[in-house]
Amino acid sequence: MTFLQPSYLWGLLGLLIPIAIHFWSRKKVQIIKVGSTQFIAQTKSKQSKSIQINEWWLLVLRCFIIALLVGILAVPQITTTVPRLDVAYVFEPSLLATAEGRARFQQIPQQGRFLLTEGLPEWQEYTLVEEGNFHYWQLAKEMEQLPADSVVVFVHAFAKAVKGKRPTLVKNSTWIPVDTEAEISKPVWARVKKDSIEVVAVYSDATTLSFSKTPIAENEVRRNASQDSLEVNTEEGGAYIPIYPEKEIKVVMVVDDGFETQSTFVEAGIKAIARYTQTDITLEKRTPSAELVFPESDYIVWLSDAVLPETTAKTLRYRQDILAHRLIEPGTSPTDFIWTKELNTNVVLEEDWVGHLLDWFALDTDLVAQIQEEDIRTLSGEQLQTKVAVNTATIPNIATANVSGWLWMIFLFLMIGERIVASLRKQ
């Protein structure tokens, strides 16, 4: 057995406490003078010894409880030796989800197969694992704990699953892309326009991710019974996609004296976004006042030194910050944002002011998230390979199991027993 926090073992010095209490709490002998002892019953020696034994058992019980608590705090773990493999094979779960997918890997030994998901569980035939959001680099670090000298990883090589810094591993790993020639082309949602319905379709393959918008006359579409979905034809057959109403956005820009130039750049950026996204954006200019309220505003641009009134709308306040890294930074709440630099022609062109403003509007957040789900752009095998540490060390073939949970149950049982014994012995 090993301990993750061995420094807590110094707490075993607490065993001196119940020992000291036991000796200090012994009743002092009281001498009583009597005239005759013929009427005093002699104490049975066996009963006296029993009393002493019971008190000693109580002392041992208390000492054991303290030692057990110290051991739990030190986080004990049981180590066992596990068999070590020459090569471990790790599969992205969707590659083994179908019989056709499993047939491609028949030549690979069944022993030593693991799934590329949290915890890297060992794969057994007919194992069903829900494939959630993950990224390859994070799971690559967990491969260090696999009982094998090297690892071969079979993945779809999705570019969206590669995030963060490329890890450096002690274990040799080889990443092999599979199914990199697939492609997706399907409609994902529709938006109601004034005289038609606009269908948004996404296309993705190993190198491309794009979407297109196709207007369809209202009398040429078929809706479901609740009128919130549109029937479309796909490669798999008929399907329904959600219908969203046309967006009508109201922006209120509060402009104080001295901010007219900045308001001009903001107004030009909003008009460009409205044309680019084909969104109906209404811009209203106001001056700050004590009675200013925003009952129906979706967005507020605050160009004033006055205090911004409380509002539930998404706000953009102008406040220069020379240490900021972006033109628009998050503020003090999820709906509060700060515009950090004075605008001029160079800033607007070189730092992409309209792009930052478009990100702040976040008009198509739902659409972007759905398009990213259909993103199947891939990386090459060379781009997926992890770094190998120069000074490699052999990872011991041991497995550890935390036994703290069982010890807590024993501790609770002993505490109850100690209270019962102490109550009976009046200790």
Side-chain angles (χ1 to χ4, degrees):
M1 179 180 291
T2 59
F3 297 93
L4 287 182
Q5 302 291 339
S7 59
Y8 280 97
L9 295 178
W10 285 100
L12 292 175
L13 294 176
L15 294 174
L16 298 175
I17 297 175
I19 296 175
I21 293 175
H22 172 79
F23 285 105
W24 289 346
S25 63
R26 290 193 305 174
K27 295 181 179 180
K28 295 181 180 180
V29 178
Q30 185 177 3
I31 299 175
I32 301 177
K33 295 181 179 180
V34 296
S36 175
T37 60
Q38 64 178 345
F39 299 108
I40 298 178
Q42 184 177 2
T43 303
K44 295 181 180 179
S45 59
K46 291 184 179 180
Q47 183 179 0
S48 177
K49 291 180 180 180
S50 174
I51 294 174
Q52 292 179 359
I53 291 175
N54 282 335
E55 292 177 352
W56 277 104
W57 273 113
L58 184 60
L59 172 62
V60 171
L61 181 60
R62 288 172 175 171
C63 290
F64 186 74
I65 289 175
I66 293 177
L68 183 61
L69 179 60
V70 172
I72 293 174
L73 295 177
V75 191
Q77 290 189 328
I78 297 176
T79 58
T80 57
T81 303
V82 296
R84 195 166 188 84
L85 304 169
D86 293 331
V87 181
Y89 300 94
V90 181
F91 297 84
E92 198 164 333
S94 58
L95 295 175
L96 299 177
T98 63
E100 180 183 358
R102 292 190 292 270
R104 289 180 298 184
F105 305 104
Q106 286 182 347
Q107 303 302 321
I108 296 178
Q110 295 293 321
Q111 184 182 10
R113 292 192 181 194
F114 300 87
L115 293 176
L116 189 65
T117 186
E118 186 177 356
L120 299 178
E122 190 170 357
W123 179 82
Q124 301 293 337
E125 195 167 4
Y126 308 116
T127 299
L128 297 179
V129 177
E130 183 177 353
E131 189 169 5
N133 296 324
F134 62 89
H135 58 86
Y136 297 144
W137 292 164
Q138 179 180 356
L139 295 173
K141 296 177 182 178
E142 296 188 28
M143 295 179 192
E144 297 280 39
Q145 305 304 321
L146 290 178
D149 297 323
S150 57
V151 181
V152 177
V153 191
F154 297 93
V155 292
H156 286 295
F158 291 136
K160 63 183 179 182
V162 176
K163 303 175 183 177
K165 184 180 178 181
R166 188 186 303 272
T168 301
L169 307 180
V170 174
K171 194 185 300 295
N172 292 321
S173 61
T174 303
W175 295 67
I176 301 177
V178 180
D179 282 346
T180 58
E181 297 180 358
E183 64 178 26
I184 290 177
S185 179
K186 66 178 183 180
V188 290
W189 72 345
R191 177 174 290 173
V192 176
K193 294 293 183 180
K194 294 180 180 179
D195 55 355
S196 64
I197 292 182
E198 187 179 69
V199 177
V200 179
V202 61
Y203 173 82
S204 182
D205 58 18
T207 60
T208 306
L209 175 65
S210 62
F211 66 94
S212 60
K213 299 179 180 180
T214 305
I216 302 177
E218 182 70 39
N219 58 1
E220 296 179 0
V221 300
R222 180 182 297 177
R223 302 193 185 201
N224 63 346
S226 57
Q227 300 293 305
D228 60 357
S229 297
L230 178 68
E231 184 179 5
V232 295
N233 294 322
T234 65
E235 295 179 355
E236 292 79 14
Y240 283 92
I241 59 174
I243 301 177
Y244 297 91
E246 185 176 15
K247 287 188 176 181
E248 296 181 359
I249 297 175
K250 182 177 181 180
V251 181
V252 175
M253 183 164 57
V254 179
V255 184
D256 210 344
D257 295 338
F259 294 95
E260 291 81 3
T261 302
Q262 302 302 303
S263 67
T264 302
F265 285 112
V266 174
E267 185 175 0
I270 292 176
K271 290 181 178 178
I273 291 173
R275 289 194 302 269
Y276 174 73
T277 61
Q278 299 180 2
T279 303
D280 186 9
I281 301 179
T282 303
L283 177 61
E284 179 183 348
K285 285 187 178 182
R286 299 184 186 178
T287 57
S289 63
E291 297 80 16
L292 190 62
V293 293
F294 312 99
E296 300 177 355
S297 303
D298 301 303
Y299 299 87
I300 299 173
V301 180
W302 190 260
L303 295 173
S304 173
D305 294 327
V307 178
L308 175 66
E310 292 187 6
T311 177
T312 58
K314 197 172 185 178
T315 60
L316 179 61
R317 298 182 290 118
Y318 175 58
R319 188 180 68 193
Q320 292 192 43
D321 184 358
I322 60 174
L323 300 178
H325 298 287
R326 294 171 54 87
L327 283 176
I328 298 179
E329 296 277 2
T332 57
S333 70
T335 60
D336 180 41
F337 291 82
I338 300 173
W339 158 18
T340 61
K341 185 179 292 187
E342 183 179 0
L343 297 180
N344 54 48
T345 304
N346 291 334
V347 172
V348 170
L349 296 178
E350 295 177 2
E351 300 192 29
D352 189 19
W353 160 250
V354 177
H356 285 80
L357 195 60
L358 179 60
D359 291 340
W360 174 69
F361 272 105
L363 298 176
D364 292 323
T365 303
D366 296 335
L367 176 59
V368 171
Q370 192 165 1
I371 289 176
Q372 288 178 346
E373 289 183 5
E374 309 297 341
D375 183 8
I376 59 171
R377 289 176 295 175
T378 60
L379 301 175
S380 65
E382 292 76 11
Q383 292 173 311
L384 282 175
Q385 303 309 317
T386 55
K387 299 178 182 178
V388 180
V390 177
N391 297 323
T392 59
T394 303
I395 300 176
N397 54 333
I398 58 174
T400 59
N402 194 331
V403 295
S404 298
W406 293 100
L407 295 182
W408 276 116
M409 295 177 62
I410 297 174
F411 175 79
L412 180 61
F413 176 78
L414 292 179
M415 283 294 296
I416 296 174
E418 187 273 340
R419 286 292 84 199
I420 293 175
V421 174
S423 176
L424 294 177
R425 300 302 305 158
K426 297 181 181 181
Q427 292 292 320

